[in-house]
Amino acid sequence: MSEYQYYEFRAVDRPLSEADRRDLRDVSTRARITATSFTNFYEWGDFKGDPVALMRRWFDLHLYLANWGTHRLMIRFPARLIDRQRLEGFLHAVDCLEISTSGENLIVDILCEELEPADDWDNWDDDSHWLEALAPLRADVLGGDLRLFYLLWLKAAEIGSVKPDEAEPLPGIGPMTPALDAFARFFQLDADLVAEAAERPAGTTTELSPDMVRRSVGALSDHEKTTLLVRLVDGDRHVENELRAFVRNRSMLKVSVGSPMATVPLGRRTASPCRGDPSGPRARAGGATRG
């Protein structure tokens, strides 16, 4: 089987200018570049750019996969909209994820290696469906839905990084969304573990009712409402996400804090390495050190 690598980057908050696209053309002469994306695949040779550097400068999403089993997803968030302290309960045992800061942004980098090769490598020139399916996760997290990180916690449980009696960071993960399902499939999480977690509600409101939104917005001060409206008129893309997070967090305060949390069944754990040795020959393929 010949080698295959697929790279896709996507800009969400700010389209690429003509100057941006010229700079990106210097990185790759054969990539497909639009005002919002950069896409390329290789059956021989390597990408000559640095994915992390491209994320820091231009892009909000990046997906990489190789037919030897390396899968990578990077998401860039405005740091002010992410509560790092809330994430700690999900990520303390997760070794397939790195979080770094870049100016006013936070970059979440998820890398899993030695996954099972896909069955349909005949379609090497079109893996765009993956990032299309995963892209909504960014807005979900910015809106206060942290179930993406619960799936990463399940991945850690699957490979044995979580203590058998450790309580789950959420009561469950249900109901699953298409984006969460795509994430579980892309990183090949144990389907039974995901199904069991999905049988229990996450304890957060996924669909925000108009009445809940009305009551939450009504609790804001006049100054807060005016500030949000001014930002909305100025074109701030994150006002909606901030309001969703506010409503969701406010609704969570009404959930009983002392209710017992389930523990994850670890009987089906399998060895499924994630972020491996960055100096290894295959680890370098999806990373910043590739030429």
Side-chain angles (χ1 to χ4, degrees), residues 88-148:
E88 291 302 319
F90 296 86
L91 305 179
H92 67 281
V94 176
D95 63 0
C96 61
L97 177 143
E98 290 182 357
I99 297 178
S100 61
T101 56
S102 175
E104 298 180 350
N105 295 309
L106 200 70
I107 297 177
V108 171
D109 185 354
I110 307 162
L111 173 66
C112 284
E113 301 184 283
E114 299 180 28
L115 300 177
E116 291 296 323
D119 296 328
D120 57 348
W121 289 111
D122 291 338
N123 297 321
W124 285 2
D125 60 344
D126 186 13
D127 278 298
S128 59
H129 64 282
W130 277 119
L131 192 55
E132 186 67 29
L134 295 166
L137 292 172
R138 182 176 186 265
D140 291 343
V141 171
L142 290 174
D145 185 347
L146 301 183
R147 289 178 294 166
L148 159 65

Side-chain angles (χ1 to χ4, degrees), residues 78-266:
R80 62 185 174 82
L81 301 183
I82 301 296
D83 187 344
R84 291 286 294 272
Q85 189 171 359
R86 285 190 65 193
L87 298 187
E88 291 302 319
F90 296 86
L91 305 179
H92 67 281
V94 176
D95 63 0
C96 61
L97 177 143
E98 290 182 357
I99 297 178
S100 61
T101 56
S102 175
E104 298 180 350
N105 295 309
L106 200 70
I107 297 177
V108 171
D109 185 354
I110 307 162
L111 173 66
C112 284
E113 301 184 283
E114 299 180 28
L115 300 177
E116 291 296 323
D119 296 328
D120 57 348
W121 289 111
D122 291 338
N123 297 321
W124 285 2
D125 60 344
D126 186 13
D127 278 298
S128 59
H129 64 282
W130 277 119
L131 192 55
E132 186 67 29
L134 295 166
L137 292 172
R138 182 176 186 265
D140 291 343
V141 171
L142 290 174
D145 185 347
L146 301 183
R147 289 178 294 166
L148 159 65
F149 301 105
Y150 180 96
L151 284 177
L152 287 171
W153 186 90
L154 274 185
K155 187 70 175 178
E158 178 185 336
I159 65 176
S161 299
V162 174
K163 296 178 181 179
D165 59 347
E166 181 173 326
E168 297 182 41
L170 288 174
I173 200 170
M176 289 284 283
T177 65
L180 289 171
D181 180 68
F183 183 90
R185 289 186 290 108
F186 184 72
F187 287 110
Q188 298 180 10
L189 273 72
D190 184 284
D192 291 333
L193 280 179
V194 175
E196 287 189 24
E199 290 176 356
R200 304 185 302 272
T204 59
T205 303
T206 305
E207 295 296 331
L208 305 180
S209 69
D211 183 62
M212 185 179 301
V213 173
R214 190 177 300 108
R215 284 186 278 112
S216 297
V217 172
L220 293 170
S221 68
D222 289 343
H223 174 72
E224 290 171 323
K225 293 174 185 175
T226 300
T227 300
L228 288 171
L229 286 172
V230 170
R231 288 174 53 199
L232 185 64
V233 172
D234 287 342
D236 191 326
R237 294 173 177 263
H238 298 298
V239 171
E240 179 183 351
N241 290 325
E242 285 185 62
L243 279 173
R244 287 184 177 276
F246 171 73
V247 175
R248 181 172 281 109
N249 292 338
R250 192 170 184 269
S251 69
M252 287 177 63
L253 294 177
K254 299 181 180 180
V255 179
S256 59
V257 178
S259 58
M261 301 187 75
T263 56
V264 65
L266 300 179

